[in-house]
Amino acid sequence: MHDTLLLFGATGDLAQRYLFPSLLHLLRDRQLPEGFRVVAIGRSEHSDDGFRDWLRNRIQGEDRNAGALDDLLRRIRYHALDLQDIDGVAAALSQYADRPAVSYLSTPPNLFEPACRGLKAAGLLEAPSRLVLEKPIGHDLESARAIDATLKSALDESRIFRIDHYLGKAPVQNLLALRFGNALLEAVWQHRWIDSVDIVVAETGGVDGREGYYADYGALRDMVQNHMLQLLALIAMEPPAAMDADSIRDEKRKVLRALRPMTAEEAGNDSVRGRYTDGVVDGKAAKGFGREYDVETFVAVRAWIDNWRWAGVPFRLVTGKRMPARATEVIVRFKPVTHWVFDRPDKQHARPNRLRMRLQPEETIELTLMGSLAAPEWGATELEPMSLDLSMLPPKRRIAYERLMIDALKGDQTLFVRDDEVEAAWRWIDSINAAWRAAGTPVQDYPAGSWGPPEAADFLPTTLPVNGGRKP
Ligand code: BG6
């Protein structure tokens, strides 16, 4: 396992909220090597001690009191660097090239290229050193390719780790276990037995503080291009021959390549864009996302996978900010039984089976089947939906980044996104942006605290909490 981590963007929001807390948990659980050290790189001026104090004040909750925090802070050195200054970066960081390193770019994508050049000049991209990148990788297919060309001029694909933190979430790994560890599910995992798939990522938070980024990206590029398409790919992929990185990524890529490009004619039927206006979320007033930004904070898309397994099965992808409740879930709806033999003709009672995987706020997996709880009178069998709890998750909740950091330090690429997946995902996203432009698809307003514009009602699964998840 590599024991040197260079963290670019160390004073950024992601580093504060997730990356340093993940390292803290890994140290506490003795998962990191003896000589583990962190080189933190940011723009703000701090001495080593100044940065340590700054970080200590930002670590929240129980983590503040753990002995691991002192241990982590002791291992950190800080450098204030301007990444555009290649020579300056190389001069400051070459001292860390004495051991194989993992450089983690938690920076905007426009800094990937200069950072890469600085790291290369410092000798920090020589094999077996590795590079980790945060999404978004580019803004469209063309810019993603340009970034990739820069990366490839410094190191090869086997040492490039593109993070999608959704792949580090425990229920996502459980999905693979369920799909490929059970003949029962795999046998029905196709268009003959599956009616539709819903993938929902609803957040109560808004764009706050990231207006500039969001105005350029919007929810389609920020959420669908990566997190939601990764979930879709894992649900829809063929069984890999083995659980190694390339076998899995080969199959994911095939699914992404099979996504039917959207045309301008379909844009109106298969997608809805929304932008939140002033409203109330969690009982608090929330300000709208400025009307001057012609970009979506909510998107609903019906995706079609043109292959043998999924012909005719809609995958509804819905994501939005400032929704009434946090809900990240995948719902696989099976088709109803072909012939209803029970006494009650009432089709209400023939509720189709459903597999529901929740990632947030709770991590659960439940399979809903029909069963007979009681026969109220002789001769009549009443069926009721019954849910089996299939959650097999470890009791300790982990930050998704913990698993991904360990894998990057170890060199396991299974949960990282490969270059051709990123390209295939952009190709589809670009088709949607082009369809929206050609069709003039408007961004519809919705009040913060609602489930998006009314036009999106058909895209929403019935499992979403009513009344924003609060008691009436
Ligand atoms: C990030 C997006 O990648 O994922 C954010 O840039 C979003 O806009 C976040 O809020 C959601 O992640 P999670 O793990 O909170 O669902």
Side-chain angles (χ1 to χ4, degrees), residues 245-255 418 420:
D246 275 335
S247 304
I248 291 179
R249 299 185 305 172
D250 287 346
E251 299 306 334
K252 282 197 290 168
R253 184 199 57 127
K254 283 188 216 159
V255 171
R418 206 170 55 187
D420 50 2

Side-chain angles (χ1 to χ4, degrees), residues 328-403:
T328 306
E329 51 187 77
V330 172
I331 299 137
V332 178
R333 267 171 221 290
F334 293 88
K335 292 196 165 154
V337 290
T338 44
H339 174 57
W340 188 250
V341 294
F342 298 98
D343 304 330
R344 291 194 45 159
D346 172 1
K347 283 284 192 283
Q348 286 290 338
H349 281 248
R351 226 155 321 141
N353 300 149
R354 180 182 84 191
L355 181 70
R356 180 181 183 202
M357 189 180 89
R358 297 173 76 203
L359 285 79
Q360 282 154 175
E362 274 89 42
E363 298 184 348
T364 57
I365 299 189
E366 88 194 1
L367 179 65
T368 307
L369 303 171
M370 296 301 286
S372 168
L373 294 177
E377 54 193 72
W378 292 112
T381 310
E382 266 204 26
L383 272 72
E384 291 291 338
M386 300 198 289
S387 291
L388 302 180
D389 182 357
L390 302 179
S391 318
M392 294 169 288
L393 300 168
K396 200 189 289 170
R397 243 189 119 107
R398 291 197 164 276
I399 304 173
Y401 284 96
E402 294 178 37
R403 168 72 191 263

Side-chain angles (χ1 to χ4, degrees), residues 219-220 224 271-274 296-301 317-320 436:
L220 183 71
V224 182
S271 66
V272 178
R273 311 170 74 190
E296 72 288 343
T297 57
F298 171 100
V299 62
V301 182
L317 313 182
V318 178
T319 184
W436 284 349

Side-chain angles (χ1 to χ4, degrees), residues 314-329:
F315 281 67
R316 289 178 291 260
L317 313 182
V318 178
T319 184
K321 301 219 178 274
R322 290 283 185 232
M323 303 270 98
R326 183 155 173 77
T328 306
E329 51 187 77

